[in-house]
Amino acid sequence: MPEGQTFLKRTAICAELSLEKAGQEVVLNGWINRRRDHGGLIFVDLRDRSGLVQIVFDPEKAEPFAVAEHVRAEFVLAVRGTIRQRPEGTENPEIASGDLEILATEAEILNASETPPFLHTDRTETDELVRLKYRYLDLRSPRLQANLELRHRVAQETRAFLSTEGFWEVETPILFKPTPEGARDYLVPSRVSPGNFYALPQSPQTMKQLLMVAGVEKYFQLARCLRDEDLRADRQPEHTQIDIEMSFVEREDVLQIVERLMVHLFRATLDTELPQPFPRMSHEEALARFGTDKPDLRFGLELVDLTEAMAGSEFKVFSRVAQSGGQIKGLRAPGCANYSRNQLDNLTEFAKAHKAQGLVWIQVQAGPRLESPVAKFLGEAEQKALIERLGATEGDLLLIVADQAAIVAESLDWLRREMARRMGLIQAGDWRPLWVVDFPMFKWDEDGKRWEAEHHPFCMPHPDDLELMKTDPGRVRAQSYDLVLNGTELASGSIRIHRREIQQQVFDLLGITPEEAERRFGFLLKAFEYGAPPHGGIAPGFDRLVMMLAGEENIREVIAFPKTQRAQDLMSGAPAPADPQALRDLHIKLDLPPE
Ligand code: ASP
């Protein structure tokens, strides 16, 4: 070892090894992936971040052989040796260095390891709770290493792209005031201002708007957003957004920049061309045709409105729903008329699990003749209308739901995606981006009996709808937009309000009094009085984007240290009780519910 050096340090990594270098001496550092004792020779697969290589320990080289006799899985090892070709017939095509091996001449154990609770080769069979507890071991798996590397590349490409486009990366505070993104805030008590709290940002929304008032003009940030929500499978209490805001822009400018960013990222990471331009669809059209504001365009199975045609039906479910303001809609699954009774019962249960009261199924036989338990209640004209509207032909299965509009939409959206899955209509590598635009500005909250912002209260209403704010808020469209990819919402944004009086009008409608507005957002309203430029922005979800690029189904697979559905970090034990002295310093007394 050279003077001053404390361990046998690497001169190469696994990925750099090749047969062209046969005969050369290298030093490798890494972990023991596997060790095999072949009664005589000992084989060790050494793993580093870049790959694997087989090391051979020969008893004739007594010193390294003695080391190899003691090592086990996940020991940290340093090995000096020569690169040589593997004997014929022993090559391993599964690994990049599978045609070569290293004959060890010197070895040093850099650290031992307890027997790991699981081997990453068995990660799919290991309970996720165990893997989360030992996340640093799980992260050693090639799959998660590849995901982390991809995440890094997407971040770097994003920065490079936006920077070339003239955006500045600006960091905004983590200790701030509540942001109205619709979730609960995480609060942080202030020690030096007793009784006062910071809120962790649900997004940098107000801050990025202030940056526009500040003349930054083009801002981005890989921003951490913290939301105390009841977690669903694909949510995390903290997530990262590519947060973007631009001044002197209209909707089209924002869509263009994000479209080009996405095209660039898919090209750079997957070598894939996204179809351009991304199609646009109004929120209204998306709901009508697909029952959702995030339609998956990789397959058809569009919804067809049958309400009018069925209004006078003898089938009471149909006529009752049609006459009481509900909806009747259906979709056509080509080639599924041969579904068994069992399969159809199963689909009915599926629809019910997604809120529908029932599912009407109709098998289209030769003729076309409709076969269904309800067929006898449908008159000739109705049958004809069904066939025409749905474009039904022999061999089709028609699936119809009659209910309140929202339930029809939700259940048929689920059914549509379920049928696409069952019918094998989804091709790997098929990417269908879509802009959904003109979302409603407000939604009615039945429980609270009040209007809520559909996105957030800073969206600019559509210029044609300003009058409707006074008469029919439910019909006001916002200048907002979502980017949807294969049925996943990937980004949300809007052109913002930059005039104080319009902002106040929106607050009024949301039931936010001028005093409350002043208390919560006074700083922003004040800023609007000092020459706020027209501005707008958007925030693509970074975790979700990386998840899709990685071909993963769950965002936990692309986050280094994710939390569970109960917002816990199983590795560190967070959240955890606070030190009593810390609570005293904060003037906090706990009043916990009984166990
Ligand atoms: N702040 C918004 C969000 O987090 C995104 C935006 O409107 O730019 O959803």
Side-chain angles (χ1 to χ4, degrees):
M1 231 181 277
E3 204 183 331
Q5 194 174 308
T6 53
F7 69 96
L8 190 57
K9 241 165 61 181
R10 62 162 52 136
T11 59
I13 56 172
C14 290
E16 290 164 356
L17 305 173
S18 75
L19 265 190
E20 279 156 36
K21 298 181 181 161
Q24 281 184 23
E25 189 189 82
V26 285
V27 178
L28 298 168
N29 291 169
W31 288 263
I32 297 198
N33 208 51
R34 211 151 73 100
R35 175 185 174 279
R36 300 179 301 285
D37 196 335
H38 279 196
L41 298 176
I42 294 174
F43 293 92
V44 160
D45 288 340
L46 193 77
R47 183 189 74 239
D48 64 23
R49 200 177 75 170
S50 73
L52 282 178
V53 68
Q54 172 167 293
I55 320 273
V56 188
F57 292 89
D58 188 325
E60 283 185 8
K61 304 253 186 300
E63 269 179 49
F65 190 82
V67 172
E69 280 188 300
H70 290 105
V71 298
R72 294 195 310 267
E74 301 305 318
F75 272 42
V76 191
L77 194 69
V79 191
R80 188 194 304 278
T82 30
I83 304 175
R84 70 179 195 191
Q85 186 160 14
R86 287 204 197 185
E88 220 179 298
T90 67
E91 297 92 346
N92 178 1
E94 306 269 306
I95 61 173
S97 70
D99 53 356
L100 59 86
E101 59 191 15
I102 310 287
L103 179 63
T105 53
E106 191 183 343
E108 181 189 345
I109 295 174
L110 301 182
N111 211 345
S113 169
E114 293 292 333
T115 304
F118 60 94
L119 290 178
H120 58 72
T121 37
D122 303 329
R123 79 181 290 267
T124 43
E125 288 97 68
T126 308
D127 186 36
E128 196 184 6
L129 299 183
V130 177
R131 288 194 278 119
L132 286 172
K133 174 152 190 223
Y134 296 94
R135 183 64 171 177
Y136 43 86
L137 294 182
D138 203 15
L139 285 173
R140 288 182 188 170
S141 68
R143 173 162 159 187
L144 294 194
Q145 296 253 314
N147 289 352
L148 283 187
E149 190 206 1
L150 177 67
R151 189 180 173 107
H152 157 76
R153 275 168 49 214
V154 179
Q156 298 315 312
E157 292 291 346
T158 300
R159 291 198 159 96
F161 178 88
L162 290 174
S163 172
T164 308
E165 294 289 331
F167 285 78
W168 292 351
E169 183 170 5
V170 182
E171 287 157 284
T172 52
I174 286 292
L175 297 174
F176 200 61
K177 282 191 86 166
T179 12
E181 294 284 357
R184 215 181 272 268
D185 290 309
Y186 279 104
L187 294 178
V188 179
S190 161
R191 183 180 53 81
V192 288
S193 322
N196 287 321
F197 295 81
Y198 302 98
L200 304 181
Q202 292 183 36
S203 85
Q205 184 60 39
T206 44
M207 292 173 270
K208 65 175 170 176
Q209 292 193 242
L210 289 165
L211 286 173
M212 295 304 107
V213 183
V216 168
E217 296 195 16
K218 287 177 167 188
Y219 142 93
F220 86 100
Q221 178 182 199
L222 292 185
R224 196 63 67 81
C225 301
L226 301 117
R227 301 180 187 183
D228 186 2
E229 292 179 286
D230 291 326
L231 300 179
R232 283 185 264 133
D234 63 341
R235 289 279 171 99
Q236 284 283 314
E238 36 186 317
H239 72 270
T240 306
Q241 291 182 345
I242 307 173
D243 201 42
I244 292 175
E245 198 73 11
M246 305 161 77
S247 292
F248 308 113
V249 290
E250 292 177 314
R251 176 180 92 188
E252 205 44 41
D253 303 294
V254 182
L255 302 198
Q256 286 295 334
I257 198 83
V258 174
E259 200 160 315
R260 287 178 33 239
L261 170 65
M262 291 299 151
V263 167
H264 173 77
L265 293 176
F266 272 75
R267 220 179 256 159
T269 57
L270 297 186
D271 199 15
T272 290
E273 282 306 309
L274 290 180
Q276 272 180 287
F278 298 179
R280 279 119 216 245
M281 193 183 287
S282 73
H283 178 264
E284 197 180 357
E285 184 181 347
L287 271 188
R289 288 173 57 192
F290 303 97
T292 173
D293 56 12
K294 37 179 194 287
D296 191 336
L297 296 190
R298 287 175 297 176
F299 48 89
L301 308 180
E302 287 192 26
L303 315 190
V304 174
D305 196 341
L306 306 164
T307 317
E308 228 182 274
M310 298 299 125
S313 179
E314 288 200 9
F315 182 46
K316 288 288 166 255
V317 174
F318 281 179
S319 43
R320 204 173 350 99
V321 164
Q323 284 156 26
S324 60
Q327 254 187 3
I328 305 163
K329 282 182 133 182
L331 62 84
R332 178 178 79 93
C336 295
N338 58 1
Y339 266 36
S340 67
R341 197 50 199 246
N342 204 346
Q343 282 173 300
L344 293 166
D345 287 349
N346 188 279
L347 278 182
T348 306
E349 284 315 310
F350 183 86
K352 284 185 176 167
H354 295 101
K355 299 201 182 139
Q357 280 175 46
L359 176 68
V360 171
W361 50 261
I362 300 173
Q363 293 159 312
V364 186
Q365 309 296 8
R369 185 173 56 78
L370 301 186
E371 208 170 278
S372 162
V374 310
K376 57 176 178 288
F377 302 111
L378 301 175
E380 208 176 302
E382 278 159 10
Q383 298 212 5
K384 205 165 149 248
L386 267 182
I387 292 170
E388 263 174 33
R389 292 195 179 218
L390 283 156
T393 55
E394 180 182 349
D396 291 347
L397 176 66
L398 311 180
L399 300 171
I400 302 172
V401 175
D403 219 308
Q404 293 162 28
I407 292 178
V408 171
E410 182 173 342
S411 54
L412 280 179
D413 165 41
W414 277 97
L415 261 178
R416 175 177 173 266
R417 287 179 289 135
E418 174 67 12
M419 288 310 292
R421 199 183 60 74
R422 293 189 186 202
M423 292 165 72
L425 299 181
I426 299 173
Q427 251 82 57
D430 187 10
W431 298 105
R432 297 302 178 97
L434 168 72
W435 285 111
V436 177
V437 300
D438 294 342
F439 277 70
M441 179 84 192
F442 306 104
K443 62 176 177 232
W444 181 248
D445 169 29
E446 199 42 55
D447 295 336
K449 298 270 179 262
R450 59 192 182 96
W451 291 104
E452 279 183 352
E454 170 83 31
H455 184 40
H456 52 56
F458 307 115
C459 300
M460 182 72 105
H462 203 285
D464 299 343
D465 297 352
L466 283 174
E467 275 307 302
L468 285 172
M469 297 249 286
K470 295 181 198 117
T471 55
D472 195 354
R475 282 181 48 220
V476 176
R477 290 163 300 166
Q479 295 190 48
S480 62
Y481 31 77
D482 271 12
L483 176 61
V484 176
L485 182 60
N486 294 358
T488 296
E489 179 198 315
L490 211 51
S492 276
S494 62
I495 296 300
R496 323 295 184 189
I497 296 169
H498 63 282
R499 292 236 177 85
R500 183 165 184 158
E501 66 282 6
I502 302 181
Q503 189 64 72
Q504 190 56 55
Q505 229 183 321
V506 169
F507 284 155
D508 287 347
L509 239 159
L510 296 173
I512 303 177
T513 60
E515 297 72 44
E516 189 186 350
E518 188 55 41
R519 183 174 56 74
R520 290 172 63 191
F521 316 112
F523 61 100
L524 182 67
L525 297 174
K526 181 108 225 124
F528 282 174
E529 291 171 358
Y530 292 94
H535 61 284
I538 189 162
F542 186 64
D543 308 290
R544 273 198 211 168
L545 175 62
V546 177
M547 175 186 88
M548 294 187 86
L549 290 169
E552 292 287 3
E553 302 272 321
N554 191 310
I555 57 171
R556 290 194 293 277
E557 300 289 66
V558 298
I559 296 174
F561 298 107
K563 294 194 172 59
T564 63
Q565 300 229 19
R566 298 199 55 218
Q568 287 170 322
D569 177 352
L570 296 182
M571 186 180 59
S572 70
D579 183 30
Q581 185 56 48
L583 288 179
R584 276 194 293 277
D585 290 346
L586 293 165
H587 310 281
I588 288 180
K589 275 202 189 110
L590 298 181
D591 179 13
L592 299 173
E595 280 290 312

